Amino acid sequence: MRSTPHAEAFPAHTPAAAQVFTAVLSHGPLTRLEAGRRAGLSAAAVTKAVRPLLAAGYLAEGADDDARPTPGRPAALVRVNGERALFLGVKVTGGELIAVLTDLCCRIRVARRRPLPDRAPGPVLASIAELVQELLAHAAESDAPVAGLGIAVSGDVDRAEGVVRYSPFLDWRDVPLADLAATTTGLPVTVDHDVRALTVAEQWFGAGAGLADFALVTVGTGIGCGLVVHGRVVAGAHGVAGEIGHVVVDPAGPACHCGNRGCVEAIAGESAIVARMRAVTDRHVTGVTQAVALARDGVPGAREVYERAGEAIGRGIATVANLLGPERVIISGEGLAAYDLFADQIRRAFTTAAFGSAARCDVLTRPLPFEEWARGAAAAAIQSFITHTPGTGQG
Amino acid sequence: MRSTPHAEAFPAHTPAAAQVFTAVLSHGPLTRLEAGRRAGLSAAAVTKAVRPLLAAGYLAEGADDDARPTPGRPAALVRVNGERALFLGVKVTGGELIAVLTDLCCRIRVARRRPLPDRAPGPVLASIAELVQELLAHAAESDAPVAGLGIAVSGDVDRAEGVVRYSPFLDWRDVPLADLAATTTGLPVTVDHDVRALTVAEQWFGAGAGLADFALVTVGTGIGCGLVVHGRVVAGAHGVAGEIGHVVVDPAGPACHCGNRGCVEAIAGESAIVARMRAVTDRHVTGVTQAVALARDGVPGAREVYERAGEAIGRGIATVANLLGPERVIISGEGLAAYDLFADQIRRAFTTAAFGSAARCDVLTRPLPFEEWARGAAAAAIQSFITHTPGTGQG
């Protein structure tokens, strides 16, 4: 089944080595000194960590290929050799698969989309396998081995066990996706919560780079949240974390699929907005595009649906800020397309509900297309590879 | 003003040394191997960290004084020499100061309480100074220097700056307490949020020992929460974190001092319970003892006041669990005296509002008298001492 060369194990056998590699990956090229400073390690520890990585070709010396040599800068720069290994990332939405092939630096080489005609685990797995084969064919054009596959799914996902415990949008319960996909594709598989995977990518390469504490809030079909605390993504002792969508903002509000009432997602999630728009305008609203149009057209009551959603999101963000006090909150997700309709309410509700200095948190928006989510899945696979996370399945 | 010998600087000049010391402090006596495992460090790093600490007398070899020698166990155990330095901890409540003198192992030697006749910063500071003098007199009975004073206050406290930004129960805004107390007492002062300080003590010596992720929820005058994520107490980028008391559970609920409505604290805090009890029973209720008695006596409506409070607390805890997925939630605080009146509601609301596997979190109760809170303040001072946190003021 495999058409690409095998990747041997990543030669970083200590947490320190993985930390140095991650520092160079997200901030490189770096001097050893700077890599040590960022990873919180001594020069001796960096030297020791870097040596086997250079020998095995995962790190290289000198500036990046496409970077010009900087005059006066010593040649002691270390960078990740992106060509050394390839990774696949797949984001599963309720209606579509989005997949990317990346290099070890998580740079996208190829991106593909494929509609998902059936949401049952079997057909989804078959679609993933086909998409993986298509991308493996691209990967075979280079000599680099494909070292891992990351799959990002929304819901209650146990990354350590590789199990999707509950996905409302797919209507899955307890699906051992990592094992199944490893058997089907022959690759080491990391299954992660989609927002957490995207958060890893944001922490390494995006608006969270260099921050010890930030939150990524995604607004769309669901309302999700990835949290970085003390420099690491919060995974939750039992695989659940960042469930901002299920912060209750109105106990008398609409019923949520989780069994409670008035959750942020039950007010501001796409299907909630569409349902409410239908009730308020008495029109046949089938999707969010129509809902946005009605609000922009000034149809009576339509604007208020978004304002209410914005208030719920702002209150959810304030809850995160009051509990964790992040430096920054990054708002993203496909719901940003309607951002002008609820931006004011988000900010106002956040400012009102934030406790004391928590209101000083920097709240910004950042559009991230689904390819970036798939890249997040690839980042999760890279993370498993470099930290030797006990992978489910193997190549 | 100082009557005790000065403590020189703690000879741990790397984060690794502070980590090793903290591991021995909370789990010791330990072998070097075990200390390294707990601190995530190599044997060489531990040896390097331990040497100057042994030389300066902060660590000692062999089992604890009061521990029996274990046959067959090698003599390579390392323990903290509790006699080497002393610390003071003061917890400030709305009506009282509670202070302790502890050794370097945070064992309480003397505890004192003193009523607070006036809540203005000046009088509180004068009371703190008197209490400190009283405890310094005790400290002078031994040769050990007093190396720091910790003060724990509720509200919006900026530990890094040593400033109480807002304390509702004291009615303080922007009081530079660390500077003021350092000037008055001549000691290095650490001012911390009371629940965060207690959380440090729980992490080192209590029900959070050995856990990477847990929450401490305190129920009483206020509803507070200390969070440990990835093994470290969450302080918040701007000094605010763990504000579970200001999670809104009912936007149509009673007004809160923070400016919002229906916060957990506005429903389940002591004064909220007393006010509600008054309204519901139409009796002259002056304090929580009376409120508890009315509920226990079965006065119509009284029980429901506690049930409503329990539901609010349970929903607040579920919000923490849904966002952070801790391994354990420890419920404490003086409100535990009424625990039988709302325990069922807390559990039921938590289970209902917890999302998926977040409900697996271990929720337990643990009574901690105010002396333990003062000990938490001493633990914060010990933490500043061993991590060389840029102390405000110095001895």
Side-chain angles (χ1 to χ4, degrees), chain A residues 229-230 237 242-243 322-323 325 352, chain B residues 229-230 237 242-243 260 322-323 325 352:
Chain A
V229 177
H230 301 145
E243 289 295 344
N322 291 350
L323 288 176
T352 305
Chain B
V229 178
H230 300 146
E243 290 296 344
N260 288 286
N322 291 350
L323 288 175
T352 305

Side-chain angles (χ1 to χ4, degrees), chain B residues 77-259:
Chain B
L77 289 174
V78 177
R79 65 179 171 86
V80 171
N81 174 16
E83 317 297 308
R84 184 61 180 80
L86 301 175
F87 293 84
L88 300 177
V90 178
K91 150 84 173 159
V92 185
T93 74
E96 199 179 23
L97 296 179
I98 302 95
V100 295
L101 170 69
T102 79
D103 67 10
L104 178 55
C105 292
C106 213
R107 286 178 293 222
I108 297 176
R109 291 199 169 183
V110 186
R112 288 284 178 276
R113 288 187 177 221
R114 175 179 287 256
L116 212 51
D118 187 328
R119 295 178 188 181
V124 170
L125 209 67
S127 294
I128 290 175
E130 286 170 33
L131 207 44
V132 164
Q133 286 309 320
E134 193 180 329
L135 291 176
L136 285 179
H138 282 281
E141 291 166 14
S142 86
D143 290 339
V146 174
L149 162 65
I151 306 178
V153 180
S154 71
D156 179 357
V157 178
D158 188 332
R159 174 169 169 164
E161 298 291 324
V163 173
V164 178
R165 299 217 177 278
Y166 172 50
S167 174
F169 303 114
L170 294 169
D171 197 22
W172 286 8
R173 280 192 191 272
D174 294 318
V175 175
L177 184 60
D179 271 342
L180 294 172
T183 306
T184 319
T185 65
L187 291 169
V189 177
T190 302
V191 171
D192 206 352
H193 182 272
D194 58 350
V195 180
R196 278 208 295 278
L198 184 63
T199 305
V200 171
E202 281 298 283
Q203 185 190 18
W204 285 357
F205 315 108
L211 299 184
D213 302 281
F214 74 91
L216 170 67
V217 174
T218 59
V219 178
T221 313
I223 313 290
C225 178
L227 297 166
V228 169
V229 178
H230 300 146
R232 286 168 53 201
V233 175
V234 177
H238 304 289
V240 169
E243 290 296 344
I244 194 177
H246 301 284
V247 167
V248 173
V249 293
D250 181 5
C256 182
H257 59 80
C258 76

Side-chain angles (χ1 to χ4, degrees), chain A residues 233-261:
Chain A
V233 174
V234 177
H238 303 290
V240 170
E243 289 295 344
I244 195 177
H246 300 286
V247 167
V248 173
V249 293
D250 181 6
C256 182
H257 59 80
C258 76
N260 288 287
R261 301 194 79 86

